[in-house]
Amino acid sequence: MKNQLIISSNLGTLFLSLLTILIALLFILSSCSTNNISSKGALDNNNAERVYVPPGEYDEFYAFISGGYSGQLSVYGLPSGRLFKIIPVFSQDPEKAYGYNEETKPMFNTSFGFVPWGDAHHPDLSQTNGEIDGRWCFINENNTPRVARIDLKTFETVEIIELPNSAGNHSSPYVTDNTEYVVAGTRFGVPVPQRDMPIDHYKGNFKGALSFIKVNPEDGKMNLEFQVMMPGFDYDKAHPGRGKSHGWMFFTTYNVEEENSLLEVNASQRDKDYIAAVNWKKAEEYIKKGKYKVMKTNYAHNQYDEYTHSATSKMIKEVKVIDPAESPGVVYFVPMPKSPHGCDVDPSGEYIVGSGKLSADVTVHSFTKMINAIENEKFDGEAYGIPIINFEDALAGVVKQPGLGPLHTEFDAKGNAYTTFFISSEVVKWKLGTWEVLDRKPTYYSVGHLMIPGGNSQKPFGKYLVAMNKITKDRYLPTGPELFHSAQLYDISGEKMELLLDFPTIGEPHYAAAAPAELIQPNSKKIYKLEENHHPYVVRNESEARVERDGNEVHIYMTTIRSHFAPDNIEGIKVGDKVYFHVTNLEQDFDVPHGISMIGANTSELLIMPGQTETFIWKPQNEGVWPFYCTDFCSALHQEMQGYVRVSSKDSNVELKWSLDGE
Ligand code: K7E
Ligand code: CUA
């Protein structure tokens, strides 16, 4: 009886197992038939393994993905798609007190005053000899024209420069072969100088400034060297020449119609717009010879100093301007079909790919042919004194009907190009030189930019491709009406692209850049050395901690170390005072920040890295005894890391005093 039971229960188990397998098979079959297998990630290959980075191991690449309207830059690992850091650049970030503490507020200074938000589109990494060198990341701000530099030792924004005479800094900040320049072309034509005039006087009167920002090769510091003052077209995207075309910068334009209303119709009238080819080496010669105009203007240049842990802002009043009509050899126009968006140069520097948004084909120009036409002075008229090269004379080839709505192109190291198509939602791989389409893969959905590590340099790494999509729809669990955008990782090491992974992004990812980890990881800073801290309110040990009154301004020189503040009891503060907390983190160990927040402070917390000093202002409004505490769980006794400020009435005579443990 007992035996029988066991047998029958064994049979039962067997039956159940068979049933499970059958159901699983049916499920797999049905999911194959209803879903494109590549859209869900294939079940029968090792895709999961190819993106899996085991716990405790590192990713192969750092990827820097723009945050678009979040104004930030996020740092991801590839191939895992893990998020490492969000670097605030053009937007305030209460988590890190960026733009809230007194030290970083000057980073947001502009000719319009304090601008705490920006639209960040295109990160680009510094290069040496046309190869990514892992030193700095530059990124443009579209709305209030600015370019920022992020130091890849600290992963902090260390410099922001405003662009005068510009509006919508979109064709930016692309980096030349040796980081001689980052560029900043205006998207919107505007009156230069800005003045009151009827909008419909646009044509012929508005201008488009192309700014060339020189980068100091030693420390990366930026300087607006000169502007080329172009006609008022919309300068959309840019790409520097590489190798043989080093010394040139190419811009796509749209709205060469110079329309000022209903551009979706009126700026699409002409069959072709232009690539503006700018010979910046020639422009430099004009500058050297003094052949430029100095224009009065006003723009901000903000720099963060790693040793004072503080930013300063300077207003600059002049800019050197080159008029291309009076400076032969600086600018040529090359016709490009149908409101081109992306402007991309291949690693050899020979091919200039323009993505006509409304064109059925992708048009590629040849740098060599363009130069030949220039040398033979074979022009097809001029626009505003700028010679126009005949379309056919520069044409290298056409990728026939590759997809709908081409936007951006990147390259691998094997002579292939990859173009995104917004309307048909796909990435298309094609061959440079033969122009044949080799492969296409869907993206989910409506892809904008794509990025191959090193894919806009002379040395693409060519293993992965990241597509950044505008629409997410059904890719993730829904989170109400607003969804994160999605990025998709493809393996491009074989003949055919393979979709490996989806991952969400912060804000709207426009462009991205990536570098092998070994270029960046060894230089990553771990702490700020206390002895190198030259903040004006630093205190290097607890015995120097103190409180000083100057009229109704009170300066608290405070320190933090696991697990207390010094001082932690402060009395003699009065309603109406302006209290500065200058807090130095005395820790000298990697990854031991302390935070501080004060009840009712109209600002963010501080999150202070080891060896750093930061400041916030608190204006006590009511009498009482008010606590502050550490916001970062820093030790087993983090919860004990707290203190009090006693606030007395305006006219009280409570003496100013401070203490730690009664001392
Ligand atoms: Cu195509 Cu601003 Cu480069 Cu977005 S832009 S996609
Ligand atoms: Cu310091 Cu928590």
Side-chain angles (χ1 to χ4, degrees):
M1 191 64 168
K2 211 177 176 188
N3 264 351
Q4 232 180 337
L5 260 179
I6 290 170
I7 288 163
S8 69
S9 90
N10 275 350
L11 273 175
T13 314
L14 187 67
F15 178 72
L16 271 177
S17 317
L18 280 172
L19 196 68
T20 315
I21 291 169
L22 194 70
I23 289 169
L25 269 174
L26 275 172
F27 179 77
I28 290 168
L29 281 173
S30 75
S31 63
C32 285
S33 59
T34 54
N35 294 299
N36 179 338
I37 205 159
S38 63
S39 80
K40 293 284 180 192
L43 301 170
D44 59 349
N45 59 25
N46 63 347
N47 286 1
E49 262 169 50
R50 284 192 272 167
V51 299
Y52 182 66
V53 178
E57 289 189 16
Y58 293 138
D59 277 277
E60 195 180 339
F61 292 95
Y62 281 98
F64 301 89
I65 303 184
S66 83
Y69 44 64
S70 85
Q72 299 157 328
L73 177 69
S74 38
V75 187
Y76 285 82
L78 297 182
S80 72
R82 296 184 295 185
L83 176 65
F84 297 149
K85 183 174 181 180
I86 298 168
I87 303 171
V89 184
F90 299 111
S91 294
Q92 282 177 303
D93 182 354
E95 180 191 326
K96 301 173 184 48
Y98 180 75
Y100 287 96
N101 63 23
E102 294 308 298
E103 286 78 6
T104 54
K105 276 183 189 167
M107 293 300 277
F108 291 133
N109 192 38
T110 72
S111 61
F112 304 90
F114 183 80
V115 177
W117 171 87
D119 187 9
H121 280 225
H122 308 121
D124 203 12
L125 300 172
S126 56
Q127 298 191 10
T128 303
N129 298 323
E131 294 178 19
I132 287 169
D133 61 20
R135 299 204 285 170
W136 311 298
C137 182
F138 300 90
I139 187 164
N140 66 317
E141 206 274 89
N142 197 41
N143 182 55
T144 304
R146 289 173 281 180
V147 167
R149 180 170 59 92
I150 291 115
D151 189 328
L152 295 183
K153 290 200 306 288
T154 57
F155 287 69
E156 303 278 357
T157 305
V158 291
E159 191 172 9
I160 294 182
I161 192 165
E162 190 184 359
L163 286 323
N165 301 330
S166 304
N169 173 37
H170 196 253
S171 37
S172 178
Y174 301 95
V175 176
T176 57
D177 270 0
N178 289 297
T179 319
E180 293 95 338
Y181 289 96
V182 298
V183 79
T186 192
R187 177 170 149 212
F188 305 117
V190 284
V192 175
Q194 270 290 4
R195 59 195 180 275
D196 177 13
M197 64 185 280
I199 299 171
D200 64 6
H201 289 194
Y202 185 128
K203 208 167 277 184
N205 292 314
F206 283 27
K207 295 275 184 254
L210 306 179
S211 301
F212 286 79
I213 302 166
K214 189 138 205 169
V215 179
N216 183 316
E218 300 307 317
D219 56 16
K221 287 190 177 154
M222 300 187 285
N223 176 49
L224 174 51
E225 197 74 2
F226 60 89
Q227 294 188 317
V228 180
M229 199 55 69
M230 301 284 287
F233 308 154
D234 291 46
Y235 297 86
D236 202 13
K237 287 294 310 292
H239 202 296
R242 296 273 175 241
K244 65 165 81 163
S245 51
H246 179 61
W248 290 77
M249 184 70 73
F250 305 96
F251 298 84
T252 42
T253 67
Y254 65 98
N255 193 26
V256 299
E257 293 86 351
E258 296 179 80
E259 291 291 341
N260 57 280
S261 187
L262 196 66
L263 263 63
E264 65 169 319
V265 176
N266 296 328
S268 306
Q269 302 170 76
R270 299 243 319 231
D271 184 45
K272 294 191 178 67
D273 297 85
Y274 301 122
I275 297 270
V278 180
N279 185 339
W280 56 259
K281 286 214 166 144
K282 192 90 193 163
E284 278 183 330
E285 288 171 20
Y286 282 100
I287 296 289
K288 257 196 213 116
K289 286 187 210 143
K291 293 190 170 166
Y292 56 83
K293 285 199 185 95
V294 175
M295 235 187 105
K296 293 273 168 256
T297 182
N298 190 32
Y299 66 94
H301 186 189
N302 312 328
Q303 302 195 57
Y304 180 82
D305 184 302
E306 188 181 320
Y307 299 101
T308 61
H309 305 276
S310 303
T312 47
S313 177
K314 200 165 86 188
M315 297 310 294
I316 301 177
K317 303 290 180 189
E318 294 183 342
V319 61
K320 294 173 186 158
V321 174
I322 290 180
D323 180 344
E326 291 168 14
S327 316
V330 173
V331 187
Y332 300 90
F333 285 135
V334 190
M336 182 58 83
K338 293 278 167 209
S339 305
H341 184 56
C343 180
D344 297 288
V345 175
D346 84 307
S348 76
E350 170 62 10
Y351 297 120
I352 305 145
V353 182
S355 297
K357 301 187 292 281
L358 307 173
S359 167
D361 307 324
V362 170
T363 302
V364 185
H365 283 314
S366 153
F367 176 71
T368 311
K369 290 177 85 176
M370 184 193 91
I371 293 295
N372 280 341
I374 292 170
E375 281 171 358
N376 297 320
E377 295 186 11
K378 254 186 104 194
F379 300 126
D380 193 9
E382 45 103 355
Y384 295 103
I386 297 167
I388 301 170
I389 293 167
N390 193 315
F391 176 72
E392 305 290 340
D393 287 345
L395 187 66
V398 169
V399 188
K400 288 266 177 240
Q401 307 209 314
L404 294 175
L407 288 187
H408 298 285
T409 300
E410 292 246 311
F411 307 90
D412 66 15
K414 302 181 206 157
N416 301 307
Y418 301 75
T419 302
T420 50
F421 291 84
F422 179 83
I423 297 170
S424 52
S425 282
E426 57 189 339
V427 179
V428 174
K429 175 181 177 181
W430 51 275
K431 189 99 205 143
L432 287 161
T434 69
W435 324 118
E436 68 190 304
V437 170
L438 302 174
D439 188 25
R440 58 177 70 240
K441 282 289 178 303
T443 61
Y444 308 92
Y445 305 93
S446 298
V447 60
H449 273 274
L450 76 173
M451 181 276 287
I452 292 171
N456 78 355
S457 73
Q458 283 190 45
K459 190 186 166 194
F461 296 93
K463 188 168 177 184
Y464 300 111
L465 181 157
V466 178
M468 286 156 278
N469 302 298
K470 301 303 179 195
I471 293 172
T472 306
K473 291 246 194 253
D474 54 7
R475 302 303 285 179
Y476 308 127
L477 289 173
T479 49
E482 187 192 351
L483 302 172
F484 267 10
H485 288 252
S486 76
Q488 288 173 317
L489 182 77
Y490 296 79
D491 183 329
I492 56 164
S493 55
E495 294 277 294
K496 300 283 171 190
M497 297 177 272
E498 286 178 88
L499 177 59
L500 300 181
L501 182 73
D502 275 20
F503 59 94
T505 62
I506 310 293
E508 180 183 351
H510 288 266
Y511 194 37
E518 71 249 24
L519 284 181
I520 295 173
Q521 184 187 357
N523 308 323
S524 193
K525 201 174 182 80
K526 296 201 158 59
I527 59 162
Y528 296 98
K529 288 191 187 136
L530 260 183
E531 69 263 26
E532 291 177 356
N533 180 331
H534 297 300
H535 191 290
Y537 291 92
V538 65
V539 276
R540 291 196 184 76
N541 55 63
E542 284 183 5
S543 62
E544 295 168 22
R546 62 190 184 275
V547 184
E548 289 175 359
R549 176 180 284 283
D550 176 13
N552 72 338
E553 276 191 5
V554 177
H555 292 270
I556 303 172
Y557 295 71
M558 186 181 271
T559 64
T560 66
I561 198 155
R562 281 162 289 180
S563 300
H564 59 268
F565 295 97
D568 67 359
N569 278 208
I570 298 163
E571 301 197 358
I573 305 294
K574 297 173 193 171
V575 170
D577 279 348
K578 189 174 182 190
V579 182
Y580 288 79
F581 284 74
H582 306 287
V583 188
T584 301
N585 181 353
L586 297 179
E587 305 281 356
Q588 291 287 270
D589 286 342
F590 185 30
D591 200 21
V592 191
H594 292 284
I596 181 170
S597 67
M598 180 78 218
I599 185 169
N602 301 120
T603 185
S604 74
E605 64 146 0
L606 300 180
L607 186 67
I608 312 154
M609 296 304 129
Q612 202 173 25
T613 306
E614 293 190 20
T615 303
F616 74 93
I617 295 173
W618 179 56
K619 292 178 180 163
Q621 290 165 28
N622 299 302
E623 291 165 36
V625 178
W626 305 104
F628 57 90
Y629 69 95
C630 173
T631 45
D632 181 304
F633 206 107
C634 50
S635 72
L637 294 171
H638 152 80
Q639 213 64 348
E640 280 72 9
M641 201 166 167
Q642 62 188 58
Y644 287 105
V645 178
R646 173 182 171 190
V647 177
S648 308
S649 71
K650 245 190 175 82
D651 49 5
S652 94
N653 44 23
V654 174
E655 218 180 293
L656 188 66
K657 61 179 186 183
W658 60 95
S659 61
L660 171 66
D661 199 19
E663 311 254 318

